[in-house]
Amino acid sequence: MFSSSTLGFQRNFEALRRTSEPLAHFADPAALLDTLHVSGRGPDQKNRILVALVLAAQSGDATSDCALTLMLLALWPGLDAVRRRSIWRRVGTSDEVASEILARASEAIRGLDLQRVNWIAATILRNIERDLIRTRQREDRHQSLRSEADPNEIPADGEVLSGDASPELLHRDLVRIVGTDADLVIRVAIDGFSQSEVATELGLSEAATRKRYQRATRRLRDVLQEFR
């Protein structure tokens, strides 16, 4: 935000307005960000603006850093949600997570292939969070291989797994109980995604996702009742 208030940034923003039609009618960065952050605006309009910013960020000319900063500010609500979920998953400390997300976001924007992407914001945010999760899982597996397994800590058949259990074991058990909805349950109940976000990811309607999640959680409750 401080960077966007400098005179040099304002000059570069004016240059962006002159060279990019989707940005031409915004008087200042605040007006642009208001349009991107207000939920009532059409997704197609927002996506066209983001495409224009990505193109400028990848141009390598004097306006590229300005466009990158605007992209980061445009994605800030989503990036902050990723940050909070990553801290909850214990991916790292608050400062480590924030730094990692900022670096990954900048790299994603600079390297985004617009020929292969339809929805800019959703793709960038999903990829960042996916990579953070995979990095944490990889580190957990390495740590597990380095440590000696305690036989007393290996769950017996039928024993409920803890929240720190192997993701592969957890997925296996969920598939056995709820079938194809295992991934849906993991994304919502463990990874912290909203049902609407998972609906977009899986290519389902929100109503269908909600029904499938409710059905799966009812099945899980029924199974857990059997162990009481």
Side-chain angles (χ1 to χ4, degrees), residues 110-124:
R110 298 284 200 196
L112 192 66
D113 184 354
L114 292 173
Q115 300 299 318
R116 302 177 60 184
V117 173
N118 292 322
W119 297 103
I120 304 299
T123 299
I124 292 175

Side-chain angles (χ1 to χ4, degrees), residues 18 32-33 35 49 68 79 83 108 121 137 144 146 160 164 178 182 206 216:
R18 290 193 298 270
L32 172 64
L33 294 173
T35 296
I49 294 170
L68 176 62
L79 293 172
R83 180 189 66 83
Q137 291 174 341
S144 177
R146 284 195 296 267
V160 177
D164 294 327
V178 300
E206 289 190 32

Side-chain angles (χ1 to χ4, degrees), residues 183-199:
D183 288 332
L184 169 59
V185 172
I186 288 174
R187 295 299 273 166
V188 174
I190 296 176
D191 291 342
F193 287 90
S194 69
Q195 291 182 34
S196 62
E197 289 173 322
V198 177

Side-chain angles (χ1 to χ4, degrees), residues 9-219:
F9 187 94
Q10 298 297 327
R11 288 173 176 166
N12 285 327
F13 181 75
E14 288 299 320
L16 282 175
R17 291 181 62 207
R18 290 193 298 270
T19 57
S20 179
E21 188 277 331
L23 309 177
H25 64 280
F26 294 107
D28 52 43
L32 172 64
L33 294 173
D34 282 345
T35 296
L36 292 171
H37 289 162
V38 172
S39 59
R41 302 288 184 175
D44 290 334
Q45 179 189 9
K46 292 181 180 181
N47 205 56
R48 283 194 296 272
I49 294 170
L50 294 179
V51 169
L53 289 175
V54 170
L55 286 171
Q58 295 178 350
S59 67
D61 62 20
T63 63
S64 62
D65 286 343
C66 171
L68 176 62
T69 299
L70 288 170
M71 274 294 299
L72 293 173
L73 292 173
L75 296 174
W76 202 260
L79 293 172
D80 186 55
V82 172
R83 180 189 66 83
R84 285 185 278 106
R85 288 194 292 264
S86 299
I87 292 172
W88 177 80
R89 295 188 191 101
R90 299 179 182 177
V91 170
T93 66
S94 179
D95 288 343
E96 289 171 345
V97 169
S99 177
E100 182 74 9
I101 288 175
L102 186 62
R104 287 181 182 273
S106 299
E107 181 180 0
I109 293 165
R110 298 284 200 196
L112 192 66
D113 184 354
L114 292 173
Q115 300 299 318
R116 302 177 60 184
V117 173
N118 292 322
W119 297 103
I120 304 299
T123 299
I124 292 175
L125 295 173
R126 183 172 61 246
N127 288 350
I128 291 172
E129 188 153 18
R130 178 203 62 199
D131 290 345
L132 287 170
I133 291 171
R134 286 178 176 175
T135 298
R136 175 56 194 266
Q137 291 174 341
R138 204 159 44 236
E139 291 173 353
D140 287 347
R141 284 195 293 270
H142 291 165
Q143 180 64 32
S144 177
L145 289 173
R146 284 195 296 267
S147 62
E148 293 184 358
D150 184 350
N152 294 324
E153 294 180 358
I154 300 176
D157 289 344
E159 183 178 345
V160 177
L161 294 173
S162 72
D164 294 327
S166 162
E168 290 81 6
L169 291 176
L170 179 60
H171 185 270
R172 181 201 65 189
D173 289 342
L174 281 174
V175 168
R176 192 166 56 203
I177 296 170
V178 300
T180 57
D181 289 330
D183 288 332
L184 169 59
V185 172
I186 288 174
R187 295 299 273 166
V188 174
I190 296 176
D191 291 342
F193 287 90
S194 69
Q195 291 182 34
S196 62
E197 289 173 322
V198 177
T200 300
E201 181 178 329
L202 298 179
L204 302 171
S205 68
E206 289 190 32
T209 301
R210 183 167 57 253
K211 289 179 181 178
R212 288 175 59 172
Y213 183 74
Q214 291 172 347
R215 182 179 61 205
T217 52
R218 279 198 301 269
R219 175 59 182 154

